[in-house]
Amino acid sequence: SEIRTLLAEREEMSKWIDRAQKVSLLLLVIGFAVIVGTLWMIARVVVAPINSLTGKMTRLADDDLEVEIGGLERGDEIGAIARALEVFRRNSVASRDANWIKLSVGEVGAELQAMQEAETYGQALVSQIAPRIDAPIGVFFLWDEDEQELRLQGSYGFQRRKHLGLRYAMGDGLIGQAALERKRISVQQVPDDFFGVHSALGEAQPRQLVAVPLLLQGRLLGVLEFGTFGQFTHTQEAFLDAVLPQAALGLENIRASERTRTLLERTRAQAEELQRSQVALQAQEEELRATNEELQGKTVELEEQAQRLSASEEELRVQAEELQASNEELRQKTEVLNEQKDVLQVLQRETEFKAQELARASQYKTDFLANMSHELRTPLNSLLILSKELAENESGHLDVEEVEAAAVIHDSGSNLLRLINDILDLSKIEAGKMDVHREEVRIEGVTREVLRHFRHMAVENRLEFAIDLDPSVPEVLVTDRSKLQQVLNNLLGNAFKFTREGKVTLRLALADHAMLTRIGVAAGEQYMALSVQDTGIGIPPERLDSIFEAFEQVDSSTSRHYGGSGLGLAIARRL
């Protein structure tokens, strides 16, 4: 029985063990299911969001800043990570926009620096800004301070139409209103009938307009207006705010440079005009000074002539009664000379007035010379004819002293006539009215005429006169024969006048290199040089410059031993 009892207990225990194994297996399955469910819940609630955030972080790292961050509303660590990632994205977007703004402002500034004029600057400004803010159309109106109006200076995608104004006053339209208020004006939902953007493929109306004044320290320089098919972003508006001050400064610098260039050109023109005026005034002063000195010398010379004529009149007045008729004629001539003396005194007073009135000196000089030519030469020619007839004494009524007095009158009149002719020649040359008639002149004819004219003077003064003709001189030269003869007469006349013994030589030769350089012509050209040498009193070195001026002589003392007017060399040099 005990064995049966043990067997029964053993069987019962086996059943309990089976039940325990089944319960344990069931509990193990349930526990595994719980673990699997827990892991599934963790994977859904934690791992998936983390994997999503990881992918978005990767996209952000690749500069994909348009990604949307989810789970921002969660209060656990996942939400904290999502919010931190959103902050990072926003900062990245802000940094990207800021960098784009700085880069774009720099690019626009670099393009605008190449502009030198306000017209091209305005066109470049609107052309650089419009593409960067996705504006298919844009215009720039420059403020004209003088006209007090805005005028179109540059455009982008803009088609001009007759009904659209290209000039706006302050407060007219959107452009004028933005200029008046000095602030940005934006227009949303532009009507369909508004001015559209044209292309070869079609036409469309912008949906937003913005007018922005271009200001520099509160001063209006112009107004920019842009249109877009969508909406201007905050970044694009920030770009406008950043680029406009720099653009305004550049425009103001260009306009300041243009004003400076204008002022410099005006100043340069005024300086050149002033310089020309000063040069002309100095030349006029020199000319008037020379004219005054010349007229004073003429007045002194004419007074001396008048005094000599007056003395001759007194001598003739005391002659015998048989010379009464001749004396009557001479008295008439004396009266004429007195009248001429009065005219000369009037001219002297006019000369003093000319010294005070510099602007009219040239006209006075012309009047004086014309008056002198008319008033002196006509009666002087009559005086010379009458005195020559008296000196020849063909009737035999005059004695030796009377004939000598008539000869003195004739010589004095001849000297006065030569002086008048010299003065008129010098005046014509100075006034530029002396014509030059070039022709072929044979050297043989020139030398023959010089010998014929001065041979008797050489014989009379017991001087040797020679002409040295270089073999290289051609037979014919091109010049003004009368002017050449006048120069030779002046030079040779001076040589014979100032030479008491010895020799006078005229040398004709081709001009050497030094002479050609002196007169400023090419070395290969041929010019003939005339030189006159004599054994007379010579010219002191200190007088070499002044001797060729009018009324200058080596013998400039009051005695004037050699006579003459001092005009020959001046006329010769000018000719």
Side-chain angles (χ1 to χ4, degrees):
S1 63
E2 289 181 0
I3 294 174
R4 286 193 295 272
T5 302
L6 289 172
L7 290 174
E9 289 177 358
R10 184 178 179 181
E11 185 178 356
E12 186 67 25
M13 186 175 292
S14 297
K15 293 179 180 180
W16 277 105
I17 290 174
D18 292 336
R19 292 192 189 102
Q21 289 179 347
K22 293 178 179 178
V23 171
S24 297
L25 182 61
L26 179 61
L27 291 175
L28 181 60
V29 172
I30 293 173
F32 181 76
V34 170
I35 291 173
V36 171
T38 301
L39 292 176
W40 179 79
M41 290 296 295
I42 291 174
R44 181 175 182 180
V45 177
V46 177
V47 176
I50 289 177
N51 289 334
S52 176
L53 292 177
T54 301
K56 293 177 179 180
M57 290 176 65
T58 302
R59 292 174 62 185
L60 290 175
D62 293 336
D63 292 333
D64 185 5
L65 303 180
E66 303 301 326
V67 62
E68 294 184 2
I69 307 300
L72 299 177
E73 71 283 354
R74 295 178 58 165
D76 54 4
E77 290 77 1
I78 301 301
I81 294 174
R83 286 188 291 274
L85 192 60
E86 177 65 17
V87 171
F88 174 76
R89 187 189 70 82
R90 292 179 181 177
N91 291 337
S92 298
V93 172
S95 177
R96 179 196 63 182
D97 294 343
N99 290 335
W100 177 81
I101 290 174
K102 292 180 181 178
L103 179 62
S104 299
V105 170
E107 291 175 349
V108 173
E111 291 293 333
L112 294 180
Q113 283 182 354
M115 302 298 109
Q116 301 296 329
E117 298 178 354
E119 289 76 6
T120 57
Y121 188 92
Q123 180 61 46
L125 177 62
V126 69
S127 298
Q128 289 295 323
I129 293 178
R132 286 177 169 80
I133 61 174
D134 296 330
I137 187 170
V139 291
F140 172 64
F141 283 81
L142 183 68
W143 174 247
D144 192 334
E145 192 69 30
D146 297 331
E147 300 293 335
Q148 291 292 303
E149 65 178 5
L150 292 159
R151 54 184 174 85
L152 182 64
Q153 194 67 41
S155 62
Y156 180 85
F158 175 73
Q159 182 180 9
R160 300 187 181 186
R161 294 186 178 181
K162 295 182 179 180
H163 67 280
L164 293 177
L166 301 180
R167 297 175 183 269
Y168 290 92
M170 191 74 73
D172 289 349
L174 189 63
I175 291 288
Q177 191 64 32
L180 179 62
E181 296 182 2
R182 299 290 202 280
K183 66 180 182 179
R184 181 191 305 165
I185 297 178
S186 180
V187 177
Q188 307 285 344
Q189 298 179 355
V190 179
D192 293 337
D193 58 351
F194 199 76
F195 179 74
V197 180
H198 295 265
S199 71
L201 301 178
E203 177 181 0
Q205 279 71 32
R207 293 306 175 190
Q208 182 182 1
L209 298 177
V210 61
V212 187
L214 188 62
L215 303 174
L216 180 64
Q217 297 179 351
R219 185 163 57 88
L220 180 66
L221 299 181
V223 178
L224 288 158
E225 183 178 359
F226 297 99
T228 181
F229 294 137
Q231 299 292 327
F232 290 110
T233 64
H234 294 292
T235 303
Q236 293 170 342
E237 293 178 351
F239 166 70
L240 285 177
D241 295 336
V243 75
L244 290 185
Q246 182 177 344
L249 182 59
L251 179 59
E252 179 60 22
N253 289 338
I254 288 179
R255 297 178 73 177
S257 299
E258 290 180 347
R259 289 193 296 269
T260 302
R261 286 196 299 269
T262 302
L263 291 176
L264 287 176
E265 292 175 358
R266 187 179 304 168
T267 302
R268 187 181 299 110
Q270 292 175 351
E272 293 175 355
E273 182 65 26
L274 179 60
Q275 185 177 5
R276 288 194 295 268
S277 300
Q278 290 177 347
V279 171
L281 182 59
Q282 291 176 356
Q284 189 177 20
E285 289 179 353
E286 292 296 331
E287 181 181 356
L288 293 176
R289 186 181 298 110
T291 302
N292 187 32
E293 293 175 356
E294 181 181 353
L295 292 178
Q296 288 178 352
K298 294 176 184 177
T299 302
V300 172
E301 185 70 21
L302 292 176
E303 285 180 350
E304 293 177 356
Q305 296 289 341
Q307 290 175 359
R308 287 195 293 269
L309 291 175
S310 178
S312 298
E313 177 194 357
E314 293 297 330
E315 291 177 1
L316 294 174
R317 193 174 292 168
V318 296
Q319 296 297 325
E321 293 181 356
E322 63 271 14
L323 297 177
Q324 187 63 37
S326 299
N327 288 338
E328 182 65 22
E329 293 179 359
L330 292 175
R331 186 173 64 254
Q332 293 176 358
K333 300 303 179 183
T334 302
E335 292 175 357
V336 172
L337 291 176
N338 287 332
E339 292 177 358
Q340 295 173 352
K341 179 180 178 181
D342 295 337
V343 172
L344 292 177
Q345 292 176 350
V346 172
L347 291 175
Q348 183 179 7
R349 289 193 295 271
E350 291 179 354
T351 303
E352 295 174 352
F353 179 74
K354 292 172 188 177
Q356 301 175 356
E357 299 291 338
L358 296 180
R360 296 181 296 173
S362 297
Q363 184 63 39
Y364 284 172
K365 176 181 176 182
T366 303
D367 294 342
F368 168 76
L369 294 176
N371 192 17
M372 182 180 66
S373 174
H374 178 71
E375 295 294 336
L376 291 181
R377 295 182 70 173
T378 301
L380 190 58
N381 287 330
S382 300
L383 176 63
L384 291 175
I385 294 173
L386 294 175
S387 60
K388 183 178 181 180
E389 292 178 355
L390 292 175
E392 291 176 353
N393 195 19
E394 294 180 356
S395 62
H397 295 301
L398 302 180
D399 58 17
V400 176
E401 292 183 356
E402 291 169 346
V403 170
E404 182 179 358
V408 169
I409 294 174
H410 183 268
D411 292 340
S412 298
S414 299
N415 291 333
L416 180 59
L417 183 60
R418 284 194 295 272
L419 174 62
I420 293 173
N421 290 334
D422 288 344
I423 292 174
L424 291 177
D425 287 343
L426 184 61
S427 300
K428 287 181 180 179
I429 295 173
E430 291 179 346
K433 296 182 178 180
M434 180 69 74
D435 296 329
V436 176
H437 302 285
R438 297 183 184 275
E439 60 181 345
E440 292 187 353
V441 179
R442 297 188 62 82
I443 299 297
E444 180 184 0
V446 174
T447 56
R448 184 172 61 253
E449 187 172 351
V450 169
L451 284 174
R452 184 172 62 251
H453 187 74
F454 289 99
R455 181 185 292 110
H456 72 282
M457 188 178 298
V459 173
E460 182 180 352
N461 294 333
R462 297 181 180 180
L463 296 175
E464 181 182 354
F465 179 40
I467 297 179
D468 183 7
L469 181 62
D470 191 272
S472 62
V473 175
E475 295 181 358
V476 178
L477 62 95
V478 178
T479 184
D480 188 317
R481 183 185 185 91
S482 62
K483 304 297 186 300
L484 174 62
Q485 194 66 45
Q486 188 173 359
V487 171
L488 289 175
N489 290 341
N490 281 326
L491 296 180
L492 290 171
N494 279 343
F496 282 104
K497 180 171 64 175
F498 291 99
T499 302
R500 288 293 177 260
E501 60 182 7
K503 181 179 181 180
V504 175
T505 303
L506 170 63
R507 187 172 188 275
L508 294 86
L510 291 180
D512 56 14
H513 179 72
M515 177 63 72
L516 294 177
T517 303
R518 179 179 176 185
I519 64 176
V521 298
E525 298 192 26
Q526 288 188 341
Y527 282 77
M528 190 176 72
L530 309 175
S531 61
V532 176
Q533 296 177 330
D534 61 71
T535 58
I537 64 175
I539 303 174
E542 65 272 10
R543 299 297 305 279
L544 284 177
D545 292 333
S546 62
I547 197 66
F548 285 93
E549 299 296 333
F551 303 105
E552 290 288 342
Q553 285 185 336
V554 173
D555 176 26
S556 59
S557 63
T558 56
S559 62
R560 299 182 66 84
H561 176 72
Y562 293 96
S565 62
L567 293 175
L569 291 181
I571 293 174
R573 184 179 69 172
R574 285 163 173 78
L575 288 176

